[in-house]
Amino acid sequence: MIGEVRHRRFTPSRHDLNYGLFMPCIDLDEWHSLKTSVWGLGESWWHWARLKRADYVGGKGDFKAAVQDKVHELTGTRVSGKVVALIHLRYLGMYFSPVNFYYLYDESGKFRYLLAEVSNTPWNERHYYAVSADEHEPHNGWQQPKTFHVSPFNPIDQGYQWKIRPLTDKVFVHLECHRNDKEFDATLLMKGVPFTTRQLFGLLLKTPVMTIKVVAGIYWEAFKLWRKKVPIYDHPER
């Protein structure tokens, strides 16, 4: 998937950003055949684009089962269909992902949950939110309290409001942070391209290590927020 992420901060100072990025979108049942057909993609240290199991949900064992187990842990619902992972990989040995998304389907092929795997820096912690895709639940099941400290410029006492769409050849994920009013939002917009050696190689030539671009962007925007004197909120547990 190729697209962009947009952040907008509305208070106490207006601040917008927009970054281009790419993220592999992988049906976990098809991972074995995919890694054997795409040059530079795999699980070994020498692969330019590496899926290292320790970087994702649970850190070991069957990847798909770990995602399904996490949703069961969070919601009490067991979903047993396919799982599609929209994730950052490890590039030239380096990895950090602010968020990975997992689309979970039931056995009939119906989209049931979006699992968001959120990481923070510099604390390198990880947290999970399960977002229901059931349109008939109150508020679409998409309003949740914030329970994980991500940015020192966003307080922990905010509430999340999610807006998601089923995964097609496009990705749409929108997250808002509220207290009395909306204070911040983030939107991920992407479109699908073929996952081929040629496509991956072209993307890697333009951005050899997406991790560096992501982390550098985080700290550069943090510096600009600090310059604007946006309040800093300490990690509540540190």
Side-chain angles (χ1 to χ4, degrees):
M1 290 285 186
I2 299 175
E4 60 184 25
V5 61
R6 181 193 70 188
H7 289 185
R8 299 185 298 180
R9 184 176 301 274
F10 303 99
T11 181
S13 298
R14 179 77 189 208
H15 183 76
D16 297 354
L17 67 86
N18 195 305
Y19 282 86
L21 78 165
F22 66 86
M23 296 176 69
C25 189
I26 303 168
D27 184 332
L28 295 183
D29 289 329
E30 299 176 357
W31 167 244
H32 180 74
S33 60
L34 182 66
K35 70 180 181 179
T36 57
S37 63
V38 178
W39 176 89
L41 178 71
E43 299 174 357
S44 300
W45 66 267
W46 46 267
H47 286 112
W48 190 341
R50 179 187 181 192
L51 192 159
K52 184 178 181 180
R53 181 65 187 89
D55 293 332
Y56 308 101
V57 187
K60 59 182 179 180
D62 184 80
F63 195 176
K64 177 181 175 181
V67 174
Q68 294 170 332
D69 288 345
K70 178 59 69 174
V71 168
H72 180 249
E73 173 190 327
L74 295 173
T75 69
T77 301
R78 173 68 64 180
V79 184
S80 55
K82 71 176 181 178
V83 174
V84 180
L86 180 66
I87 57 178
H88 285 287
L89 298 177
R90 185 173 286 261
Y91 298 102
L92 298 180
M94 289 179 277
Y95 174 81
F96 176 75
S97 176
V99 59
N100 296 315
F101 293 109
Y102 304 93
Y103 292 78
L104 285 84
Y105 299 81
D106 63 20
E107 292 182 341
S108 70
K110 182 180 179 181
F111 174 37
R112 294 292 307 281
Y113 284 96
L114 178 71
L115 179 68
E117 179 179 45
V118 184
S119 300
N120 58 18
T121 180
W123 306 283
N124 200 30
E125 299 167 318
R126 197 178 300 178
H127 189 77
Y128 299 89
Y129 295 96
V131 184
S132 173
D134 190 342
E135 298 176 355
H136 302 293
E137 290 189 6
H139 304 294
N140 295 325
W142 296 344
Q143 293 189 5
Q144 299 172 327
K146 180 180 178 180
T147 56
F148 181 62
H149 187 69
V150 179
S151 167
F153 300 98
N154 282 336
I156 195 68
D157 61 341
Q158 292 175 321
Y160 282 157
Q161 183 172 324
W162 296 85
K163 296 179 182 178
I164 62 175
R165 293 176 187 164
L167 180 66
T168 60
D169 61 339
K170 297 180 180 178
V171 168
F172 174 85
V173 180
H174 179 78
L175 174 67
E176 299 179 0
C177 296
H178 291 254
R179 281 191 289 185
N180 295 325
D181 299 299
K182 182 169 72 169
E183 299 182 337
F184 171 89
D185 69 21
T187 305
L188 179 66
L189 292 169
M190 310 190 83
K191 63 179 181 180
V193 296
F195 203 149
T196 62
T197 296
R198 181 177 181 179
Q199 188 65 247
L200 178 62
F201 189 63
L203 291 169
L204 292 176
L205 286 178
K206 293 178 181 178
T207 310
V209 183
M210 179 59 71
T211 302
I212 294 177
K213 180 177 181 178
V214 169
V215 174
I218 289 172
Y219 284 99
W220 175 241
E221 297 300 329
F223 173 72
K224 290 193 284 187
L225 290 172
W226 175 78
R227 286 284 301 272
K228 292 182 177 181
K229 301 187 184 302
V230 174
I232 295 177
Y233 301 90
D234 291 335
H235 193 300
E237 298 178 3
R238 294 175 182 254

